[in-house]
């Protein structure tokens, strides 16, 4: 029984070349390998997961356990192997699942280290588990020639492209705010701090430069993803991406993210491009030379299931970043609904949080020295994020009760500066933080941002 | 659409190229700040501290070879000079003074207090001057202080201890030599290649000179607040009473002078002022070139005046005595320092864009 399919459905299930997906697999495997390798090399496994006294938990993911030192290294070891597996298309299903689990696990241990690009990698890793990226030019394809295949369904590439455009587009939308466009903040602070950069450094001291970069950055983010879609603008858009990420990568301490985005966006390029790209690697990796079985027809899909899944996935990702609208106050200040919204390098913010612990036994209130319990990164992040402040208060209660104190009251004086404004109180200094719990509800105990 | 794209590209290029006819809104020269900090503040302070440590060594050598009350008095005075000069360099705890290999930073190696007198006496009893241990509270400036000033002993009594005990003489000598060697090592490194390294590393990322300079400045400030006031005042959670014996320089009774010297040097760095009073470029001048900077300078200096006032109200006797007799007056200093923290800590670093941690930020 043939039901006439609408155009969109036809588009989704059209057979297209597998080449861009293979190119993407290679890039994803390589960049995640590099990222993990760098993480280990910089001793961050140790600094983030071993030498810490507290982990700040993600709301809803408090159950994700920190493992003993040895096993944290094992997790990272598995990630290294898994990323090589993804790169080679070897034992791909296991490798991609292992990578997703280990990577996301490590991310969910401590919210201190939350970065949008880690969230991005987690999402891509999740999608990669379901995509047949080992059906050609892969160790698996060579091993099981009968299962190899030159095509994939169009929706598979569409989904990855959607995810990439989403990052840029929402990062651009997020820049449409008063501080970014009208005050040119935080670039007015960040650019002069880099005035020692060769050639460009000298113009970073002009205020006009901050305005131009702010507006250009906003327009770039909003449009560049769409320009990647059209063959006539693609190469120019990508060159802009290279320029943009090279610059931000040089200016800011942002790790491997510029690399990840610059190369991931190659997925928009033509089949011929990807063929050449794969052939380059085939010089060193023999089974990349192996052509897929041309006759094999991909299996029939459960189209309804796939369409439904796509609908849910895409709706979620389109809507979730907007949840901040449901909360009171300026989200740059309160950070309610701020994370998981592609708000990248959006503000300059810092805080000083002083905690006071009241001991019922002695009726004395003591001042906490945060660095006794937190590493510098944790201290910095906690001092400006309300949910982390609550968690730290609970931690202090436990910590001091173990020392024999009786603690029913922990309060904090938290001064935060946002985009160069004079610092002001983030929460009421007399609020007993132990009486509060973190929920989805609006945090009425956060003081509104003034001016 | 292509047109929009073209506009975008041109705008971006324009952003990268525009130069002419613009007002320089922020032309702060970090390299100049670093050069002045090195030449005007750090080097003179290092040299003075090195010299006073050397003089202390001479005086203790004299005292050890001839343990008389008058020689002891001279050594004590030399210690006071050395300790007050130490307040001028304890915030330069990076580069050659930073952690290296098995060695902790100079501040931890030489400046740990309170010292553990039991450990010191045990090392003396065992005639162990190897320092082959992690007991940094049994050596350094404040161990020397204990050895020279004793606890509630007069000059004659202390002198007698040395006359009777060669081990005590050995330990004092070893502590002073070690201190000289450590400070000398740092001073010589600055005098050698490090000064140029410091001046030329003019970025703002972690590991840059301004980042080390600022981060250690802040740490020193927090040390003043937490260790010289907070703990002796009994203000930490879990402390059930004041702990006057935990002040800096408890044995010499020189704590108030030293704390104030420490605070004064922090103010000097803020202003870029050298020991000779010569005004150079400080964080204050850096801030003045940044939008929002002047408001912060004003707020900072209003609070600094409060701290000065609080210091001025403390009766002129050791902090340990004041904490017992005049708790509130000492407590006010801590309160004002606490109020001041945000200006030096988050506000300053945020405005001048200095990196505080190694970790990656949120990429774009």
């Amino acid at each position: 029984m043939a039901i006439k399919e609408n155009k969109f459905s036809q588009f989704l299930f059209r057979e297209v070349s597998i080449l861009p997906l293979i190119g993407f697999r290679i890039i994803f495997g390589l960049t995640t390998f590099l990222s993990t390798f760098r993480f280990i090399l910089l001793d961050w496994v140790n600094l983030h997961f071993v030498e810490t006294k507290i982990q700040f938990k993600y709301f809803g993911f408090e159950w994700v356990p920190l493992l003993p030192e040895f096993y944290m290294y094992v997790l990272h070891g598995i990630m290294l192997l898994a990323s090589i597996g993804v790169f080679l298309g070897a034992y791909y299903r296991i490798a991609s699942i292992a990578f997703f689990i280990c990577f996301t696990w490590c991310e969910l241990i401590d919210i201190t280290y939350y970065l949008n690009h880690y969230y991005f990698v987690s999402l891509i890793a999740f999608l990669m588990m379901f995509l047949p990226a080992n059906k050609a030019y892969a160790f698996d394809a060579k091993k099981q020639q009968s299962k190899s295949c030159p095509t994939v369904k169009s929706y598979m590439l569409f989904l990855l492209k959607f995810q990439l455009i989403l990052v840029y587009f929402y990062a651009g939308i997020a820049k449409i705010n008063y501080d970014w466009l009208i005050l040119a903040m935080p670039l007015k602070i960040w650019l002069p701090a880099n005035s020692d950069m060769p050639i460009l450094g000298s113009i970073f001291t002009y205020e006009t430069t901050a305005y131009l970069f702010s507006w250009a950055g906003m327009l770039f983010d909003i449009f560049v993803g769409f320009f990647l879609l059209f063959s006539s603008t693609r190469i120019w858009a990508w060159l802009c991406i290279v320029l943009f990420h090279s610059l931000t990568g040089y200016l800011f301490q942002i790790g491997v993210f510029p690399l990840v985005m610059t190369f991931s966006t190659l997925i928009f390029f033509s089949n011929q491009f990807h063929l050449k790209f794969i052939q380059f690697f085939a010089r060193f990796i023999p089974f990349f030379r192996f052509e897929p079985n041309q006759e094999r027809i991909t299996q029939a899909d459960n189209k309804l299931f796939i369409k439904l899944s796509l609908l849910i996935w895409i709706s979620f990702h389109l809507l979730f970043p907007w949840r901040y609208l449901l909360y009171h106050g300026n989200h740059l200040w309160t950070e309610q609904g701020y994370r998981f919204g592609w708000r990248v390098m959006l503000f300059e913010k810092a805080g000083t949080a002083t905690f006071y612990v009241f001991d019922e036994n002695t009726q004395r209130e003591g001042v906490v020295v945060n660095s006794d319990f937190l590493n510098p990164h944790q201290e910095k992040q906690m001092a400006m994020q309300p949910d982390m402040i609550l968690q730290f208060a609970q931690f202090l209660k436990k910590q001091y009760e173990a020392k024999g104190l009786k603690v029913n009251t922990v309060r904090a004086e938290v001064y935060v500066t946002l985009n160069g404004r004079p610092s002001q109180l983030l929460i009421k200094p007399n609020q007993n933080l132990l009486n509060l719990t973190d929920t989805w509800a609006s945090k009425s105990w956060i003081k509104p941002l003034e001016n | 659409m292509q047109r929009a794209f073209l506009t975008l590209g041109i705008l971006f290029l324009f952003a990268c190229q525009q130069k002419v006819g613009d007002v320089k809104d922020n032309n702060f020269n970090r390299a100049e700040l670093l050069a002045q900090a090195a030449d005007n503040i750090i080097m003179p302070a290092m040299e003075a501290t090195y010299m006073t440590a050397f003089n202390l060594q001479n005086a203790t050598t004299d005292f050890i070879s001839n343990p008389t009350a008058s020689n002891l008095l001279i050594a004590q005075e030399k210690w006071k000079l050395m300790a007050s000069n130490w307040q001028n360099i304890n915030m330069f705890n990076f580069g050659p003074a930073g952690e290296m290999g098995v060695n902790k930073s100079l501040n931890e190696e030489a400046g740990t207090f309170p010292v553990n007198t039991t450990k010191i006496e045990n090392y003396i009893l065992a005639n162990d001057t190897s320092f082959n241990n992690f007991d940094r509270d049994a050596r350094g400036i404040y161990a020397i202080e204990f050895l020279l000033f004793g606890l509630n002993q007069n000059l004659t009594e202390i002198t007698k201890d040395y006359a009777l005990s060669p081990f005590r003489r050995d330990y004092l000598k070893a502590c002073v030599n070690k201190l000289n060697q450590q400070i000398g090592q740092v001073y010589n490194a600055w005098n050698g290649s490090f000064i140029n390294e410091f001046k030329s590393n003019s970025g703002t990322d972690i590991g840059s000179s301004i980042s080390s300079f600022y981060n250690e400045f802040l740490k020193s400030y927090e040390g003043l607040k937490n260790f010289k006031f907070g703990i002796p005042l009994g203000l930490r959670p879990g402390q059930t009473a004041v702990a006057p014996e935990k002040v800096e320089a408890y044995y010499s009774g020189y704590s108030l002078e030293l704390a104030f010297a420490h605070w004064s040097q922090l103010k000097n760095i803020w202003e870029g002022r050298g020991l000779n009073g010569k005004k150079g470029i400080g964080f204050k001048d850096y801030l003045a070139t940044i939008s929002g900077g002047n408001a912060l300078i004003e707020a900072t200096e209003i609070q600094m005046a409060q701290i000065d006032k609080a210091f001025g109200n403390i009766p002129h006797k050791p902090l340990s005595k004041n904490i017992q007799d005049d708790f509130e007056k000492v407590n006010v200093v801590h309160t004002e320092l606490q109020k001041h923290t945000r200006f030096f800590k988050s506000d300053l670093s945020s405005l001048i864009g200095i990196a505080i941690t190694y970790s990656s930020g949120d990429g774009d």
Side-chain angles (χ1 to χ4, degrees):
Chain A
M1 194 174 65
I3 298 169
K4 199 166 181 244
E5 287 185 312
N6 63 30
K7 263 191 155 177
F8 189 60
S9 182
Q10 280 173 17
F11 162 75
L12 289 179
F13 294 98
R14 210 176 61 207
E15 298 278 338
V16 294
S17 166
I18 198 172
L19 289 163
L21 181 61
I22 304 300
F24 189 80
R25 184 200 78 206
I26 291 172
I27 287 162
F28 188 70
L30 278 180
T31 46
T32 50
F33 178 82
L34 263 179
S35 167
T36 312
F37 188 68
R38 171 175 176 271
F39 196 94
I40 298 168
L41 210 66
L42 291 170
D43 201 29
W44 286 355
V45 179
N46 189 33
L47 292 172
H48 291 191
F49 303 122
V50 182
E51 287 180 355
T52 45
K53 300 189 175 96
I54 170 179
Q55 281 73 45
F56 290 93
K57 297 299 187 183
Y58 281 86
F59 184 75
F61 291 96
E62 294 83 358
W63 50 272
V64 177
L66 174 76
L67 300 180
E69 179 175 2
F70 175 74
Y71 293 98
M72 288 313 299
Y73 278 101
V74 169
L75 276 187
H76 284 82
I78 294 173
M79 262 191 265
L80 279 181
L81 286 178
S83 57
I84 295 171
V86 169
F87 166 62
L88 296 175
Y91 308 100
Y92 175 80
R93 202 60 71 186
I94 296 169
S96 58
I97 292 171
F99 184 82
F100 169 74
I101 292 176
C102 294
F103 186 85
T104 310
W105 187 340
C106 290
E107 292 322 307
L108 287 174
I109 287 173
D110 194 334
I111 204 164
T112 306
Y113 313 108
Y114 169 79
L115 294 182
N116 283 291
H117 87 255
Y118 288 151
Y119 175 45
F120 173 78
V121 170
S122 256
L123 292 176
I124 296 293
F126 180 80
L127 295 176
M128 290 300 275
M129 299 193 301
F130 302 100
L131 300 179
N134 61 338
K135 294 285 183 194
Y137 309 100
F139 178 81
D140 293 348
K142 168 120 204 244
K143 218 170 145 199
Q144 284 192 293
Q145 299 182 14
S146 62
K147 285 191 177 176
S148 71
C149 176
T151 60
V152 289
K153 293 292 196 306
S154 164
Y155 73 82
M156 298 175 175
L157 297 181
F158 166 76
L159 203 52
L160 292 172
K161 290 176 183 174
F162 163 78
Q163 215 68 53
L164 280 159
I165 294 175
L166 190 80
V167 173
Y168 285 106
F169 182 68
Y170 274 15
I173 294 293
K175 289 183 173 70
I176 304 178
N177 69 64
Y178 181 79
D179 282 18
W180 187 274
L181 297 177
I182 310 297
L183 302 179
M185 278 290 191
L187 288 184
K188 234 189 250 176
I189 294 178
W190 288 345
L191 292 183
N194 286 285
S195 57
D196 63 320
M197 181 184 177
I199 307 163
L200 283 180
S202 60
I203 65 157
F204 287 164
T205 54
Y206 297 95
E207 204 162 82
T208 316
T209 313
Y211 277 97
L212 280 166
F213 274 47
S214 293
W215 282 80
M218 181 269 291
L219 293 172
F220 167 83
D221 272 343
I222 288 185
F223 292 112
V224 76
F226 300 106
F227 284 118
L228 284 169
L229 289 171
F230 307 103
S231 60
S232 54
T233 52
R234 187 171 298 135
I235 181 69
W236 298 105
W238 193 72
L239 288 176
C240 269
I241 284 180
V242 172
L243 184 72
F244 182 81
H245 288 305
S246 311
L247 192 63
T248 53
Y250 182 89
L251 290 180
F252 310 122
Q253 202 171 303
I254 49 180
V256 293
F257 189 50
L259 210 64
V260 172
M261 292 310 279
T262 305
F263 290 104
S264 294
T265 43
L266 288 174
I267 194 176
F268 289 91
F269 279 61
S270 66
N271 299 337
Q272 294 88 317
F273 169 84
H274 284 281
L275 188 60
K276 280 191 194 136
F277 183 74
I278 296 160
Q279 280 165 350
F280 169 77
F281 287 95
R283 283 192 233 163
F284 326 104
I285 302 156
F287 47 80
F288 276 20
R289 279 175 221 145
F290 181 74
E291 297 282 331
N293 178 359
Q294 295 296 331
E295 280 159 38
R296 196 184 136 74
I297 301 154
T298 49
Q299 283 176 338
D301 298 298
N302 182 340
K303 288 189 180 175
L304 185 66
F305 174 76
I306 288 169
K307 278 197 243 178
L308 207 62
S309 308
L310 284 175
L311 185 72
I312 293 170
W313 179 269
I314 289 171
S315 313
F316 174 81
H317 287 287
L318 285 176
L319 291 175
F320 198 57
W322 294 101
R323 73 192 181 285
Y324 78 92
L325 293 172
L326 303 173
Y327 295 104
H328 84 281
N330 181 338
H331 62 298
L332 301 183
W333 174 251
T334 68
E335 302 213 12
Q336 300 189 93
Y338 189 84
R339 297 185 195 104
F340 307 108
W342 313 115
R343 295 180 185 87
V344 283
M345 297 293 280
L346 195 55
F347 57 41
E348 168 60 42
K349 203 174 181 188
T352 297
T354 314
F355 285 77
Y356 297 89
V357 171
F358 188 81
D359 180 11
E360 304 289 337
N361 293 333
T362 58
Q363 294 290 304
R364 290 170 72 98
E365 189 182 63
V367 196
V368 177
V369 174
N370 297 344
S371 57
D372 286 353
F373 307 105
L374 306 175
N375 69 29
H377 199 61
Q378 289 177 318
E379 201 185 336
K380 184 179 176 215
Q381 295 295 331
M382 183 276 292
M384 56 186 176
Q385 297 183 33
D387 53 350
M388 294 176 76
I389 288 169
L390 280 195
Q391 289 191 39
F392 190 53
Q394 291 292 347
F395 168 84
L396 289 173
K397 176 185 162 76
K398 263 189 232 137
Q399 195 74 18
Y400 284 111
E401 291 208 321
K403 288 182 184 165
L405 281 70
K406 188 162 181 280
V407 181
N408 289 331
T409 314
V410 175
R411 61 184 192 90
E413 210 173 71
V414 184
Y415 279 94
V416 173
T417 165
L418 172 65
N419 286 340
R421 290 178 182 81
S423 54
Q424 47 183 296
L425 284 170
L426 180 69
I427 57 177
K428 295 183 196 105
N430 292 321
Q431 170 72 50
N432 182 359
L433 297 170
L434 299 179
N435 289 341
L436 302 170
T437 41
D438 196 5
T439 65
W440 284 103
S442 203
K443 294 178 173 61
S444 55
W445 43 277
I446 301 175
K447 286 169 73 86
L449 175 69
E450 281 162 29
N451 77 66
Chain B
M1 228 179 201
Q2 285 206 3
R3 178 164 300 182
F5 174 68
L6 206 68
T7 318
L8 172 65
I10 289 168
L11 203 64
F12 205 91
L13 283 176
F14 183 59
C16 299
Q17 285 179 348
Q18 66 85 29
K19 242 179 202 177
V20 205
D22 196 357
V23 190
K24 269 214 170 185
D25 301 284
N26 182 333
N27 57 350
F28 189 76
N29 189 342
R30 264 191 309 278
E32 191 57 30
L33 180 143
L34 295 174
Q36 296 228 13
D39 296 335
N40 190 29
I41 303 178
I42 301 175
M43 288 312 288
M46 287 265 175
E47 189 179 349
T49 311
Y50 180 60
M51 286 314 295
T52 52
F54 182 70
N55 292 339
L56 172 65
Q57 190 178 32
N58 285 340
T60 47
T61 311
D62 288 349
F63 170 64
I64 286 162
S65 54
N66 185 12
T68 66
S70 64
N71 277 345
L72 176 61
L73 192 62
I74 294 170
Q76 287 183 341
E77 289 307 315
K78 297 294 177 199
W79 179 87
K80 284 186 179 177
L81 270 176
M82 193 273 141
S84 54
N85 271 281
W86 168 250
Q87 309 304 322
N88 296 331
I89 68 161
N90 73 37
M91 59 288 292
F92 308 135
N93 204 32
F94 54 87
E99 292 189 23
M100 269 187 298
V102 292
N103 288 330
K104 286 288 197 180
S105 67
L106 181 64
N107 223 345
E108 284 169 273
E109 291 282 342
T112 295
F113 73 87
V115 290
N116 187 327
T117 55
T118 315
K119 282 183 193 169
I120 295 174
E121 296 294 355
N122 285 341
Y123 282 123
I124 292 174
L125 272 177
N127 198 19
D128 180 352
T129 56
S130 67
F131 302 123
N132 238 338
N133 53 64
F134 297 105
D135 292 331
R136 295 190 178 85
D137 53 356
R139 54 182 182 259
I141 297 166
Y142 303 99
I144 298 170
E145 182 210 6
F146 168 71
L147 291 168
L148 288 178
F149 290 85
L151 182 59
N152 304 321
Q153 287 177 291
N154 62 32
L155 289 172
T156 331
E157 288 163 348
I158 301 167
T159 309
K160 205 172 145 200
D161 283 348
Y162 284 90
L164 293 175
S165 162
F167 288 2
R168 200 170 193 81
R169 296 199 291 269
D170 289 348
Y171 198 74
L172 173 63
K173 191 175 175 184
C175 282
V176 173
N177 288 347
K178 178 95 179 161
L179 178 68
N180 263 270
Q181 176 234 319
Q182 285 169 330
I183 291 180
Q185 202 179 320
V186 173
Y187 174 63
N188 288 330
W190 270 93
N191 238 343
S193 62
F194 187 73
I195 186 159
N196 288 327
E197 203 178 302
F198 177 80
K199 287 179 183 177
S200 60
N201 189 354
S202 65
T204 47
D205 53 331
I206 199 86
S208 66
S209 295
I210 194 93
S211 156
S212 308
F213 187 54
Y214 166 77
N215 281 315
E216 290 304 322
F217 165 79
L218 182 68
K219 234 185 240 172
S220 175
Y221 172 80
E222 301 244 32
L224 170 69
K225 179 184 61 163
N226 297 332
F227 296 116
K228 300 190 179 178
F229 288 93
I231 290 178
L233 283 162
L235 299 179
R236 290 279 185 99
Q239 279 189 284
T240 53
V242 294
E245 73 286 357
K246 290 191 172 162
V247 296
E248 178 189 25
Y250 176 65
Y251 305 99
S252 60
Y254 205 47
S255 44
L256 179 59
E257 289 86 347
L258 293 183
F260 188 69
H262 189 170
W263 167 239
S264 301
Q265 177 70 344
L266 292 168
K267 282 195 298 182
N268 285 337
I269 291 168
W270 160 259
E271 290 188 352
R273 202 175 287 284
L275 285 184
N276 55 9
K278 193 180 137 209
K279 170 87 176 75
I281 303 173
F283 290 126
K284 180 184 171 178
D285 305 274
Y286 194 168
L287 272 180
T289 65
I290 293 165
S291 74
N294 282 318
L296 179 56
I297 292 175
E298 198 185 325
T300 305
E301 297 202 327
I302 288 173
Q303 186 54 32
M304 285 169 97
Q306 292 298 314
I307 298 170
D308 279 335
K309 202 174 122 195
F311 262 112
N313 285 338
I314 302 182
H316 198 87
K317 51 186 176 177
L319 280 177
S320 48
K321 288 227 164 52
N322 277 316
I323 284 171
Q324 285 162 315
D325 306 343
D326 245 324
F327 176 86
E328 208 33 56
K329 281 184 180 156
V330 185
N331 192 34
V332 171
V333 177
H334 179 269
T335 309
E336 297 301 337
L337 284 169
Q338 185 64 53
K339 282 191 205 160
H340 188 72
T341 309
R342 65 180 161 122
F343 297 124
F344 275 172
K345 196 174 186 171
S346 39
D347 291 24
L348 176 58
S349 64
S350 186
L351 268 190
I352 59 185
I354 293 175
I356 297 176
T357 66
Y358 281 96
S359 307
S360 295
D362 221 339
D364 195 350

